Amino acid sequence: MPKRYSTARGREFGAGVRAAIGRTAMTSREVAEKLKWQEAKVSDMVNGKGGVSLLDITLLLGFCQSPADEREHLLALYPETHREGWLQEHGKCTPIRPHTVCSNLAAAKSLVGWQPHVIPTFLRTTAYMCALLTSSATVQSEEFKDRLGAMQELQQLPVRGLDCTFYIHELALDLQVGELEVHVDQLLHLLVLSNRKRIKIHVVPTSAGAHAGVAGPFTHLSFTKYESLVLLEPENSSIFIEQPEAVAGYESVIEALSKTSLDEAESRALISVCTARLKERLGDPFPSS
């Protein structure tokens, strides 16, 4: 069955409208009756099919008593819901909880991530995340707790049914983040996660030399009903790549990484070797456990 046309903007808009309706504790039909609309009109809003005006959306969000900032965000988003590709510039740093990233991750059926420098967000221990946040040049101390909570929220996605494949460079295993104990615990955590049904971890060994992923990290999301997209997350922006040929280019990178990387068992073995080496530095009498 052909996939339905949708964009990252459209899915975020639809998720925002659904959340607004959900907070009323009423169904879409009940909301439509209160506004004297056909139920199909509310359905069109939620699914981004068009046929509604900004005034209609304003009335709906006003009826739902949406917070002012959320209302302004959705009203600004609606005229752009059919545009593919999106560069979101966030200013000094990304928002504590980036709405578009979260809504698209929540809608995805599978995720493939490539990370050459550090352990991917979904696989990090709390101490590792804290060390990364502390090392940031843009994160304010008063935001620390909220940012940590937002990162921990994202980690629940694989548990809720998202199939994940992660390609990690061996250099990311060796780069110490935080105290040595934190780094060892992180590698042990990777070993535990590598045995989960919905998580696959492949390591690209240093011995592979130059490889297809040298251009940098990215996240590929596929959906049951929609076309795939690629997410890039530089320091202070979010980039959503949706043009089919561009997405296909990243899919070629994934295919190449799958050939360059170690298989799951070999990757676990290499992570174990790295862990043992670090545990020896800690003076652990049982480095290979």
Side-chain angles (χ1 to χ4, degrees), residues 239-255:
I239 304 171
F240 296 87
I241 297 173
E242 301 179 85
Q243 207 276 337
E245 286 79 7
V247 173
Y250 280 93
E251 291 170 345
S252 296
V253 173
I254 292 172
E255 183 178 356

Side-chain angles (χ1 to χ4, degrees), residues 78-94:
Y78 179 69
E80 306 291 326
T81 52
H82 293 286
R83 288 185 58 190
E84 288 185 341
W86 197 0
L87 166 60
Q88 291 183 332
E89 296 182 283
H90 303 307
K92 187 175 181 180
C93 59
T94 57

Side-chain angles (χ1 to χ4, degrees), residues 91-94 130-141 143-144 147 235-236:
K92 187 175 181 180
C93 59
T94 57
C130 288
L132 283 177
L133 287 171
T134 300
S135 68
S136 172
T138 58
V139 173
Q140 304 298 312
S141 58
E143 300 175 351
F144 190 94
R147 285 189 177 276
E235 180 65 34
N236 57 357

Side-chain angles (χ1 to χ4, degrees), residues 141-254:
S141 58
E142 60 269 22
E143 300 175 351
F144 190 94
K145 184 176 180 180
D146 290 337
R147 285 189 177 276
L148 179 62
M151 293 170 74
Q152 290 173 322
E153 178 186 345
L154 290 178
Q155 290 186 320
Q156 297 305 308
L157 289 170
V159 178
R160 294 201 296 265
L162 185 65
D163 291 317
C164 299
T165 301
F166 297 100
Y167 293 97
I168 309 172
H169 199 278
E170 185 179 352
L171 293 174
L173 303 179
D174 291 332
L175 178 67
Q176 183 174 327
V177 174
E179 299 294 331
L180 188 55
E181 292 87 345
V182 170
H183 194 59
V184 170
D185 286 343
Q186 174 61 74
L187 295 189
L188 290 171
H189 186 60
L190 276 186
L191 289 172
V192 172
L193 293 178
S194 69
N195 289 295
R196 287 195 177 180
K197 182 178 179 181
R198 293 190 177 274
I199 295 178
K200 297 178 181 179
I201 299 175
H202 296 270
V203 177
V204 175
T206 304
S207 60
H211 53 81
V214 293
F218 63 86
T219 301
H220 178 283
L221 299 178
S222 61
F223 305 86
T224 302
K225 299 178 180 179
Y226 313 117
E227 297 297 333
S228 301
L229 63 77
V230 170
L231 168 64
L232 308 180
E233 297 182 277
E235 180 65 34
N236 57 357
S237 60
S238 301
I239 304 171
F240 296 87
I241 297 173
E242 301 179 85
Q243 207 276 337
E245 286 79 7
V247 173
Y250 280 93
E251 291 170 345
S252 296
V253 173
I254 292 172

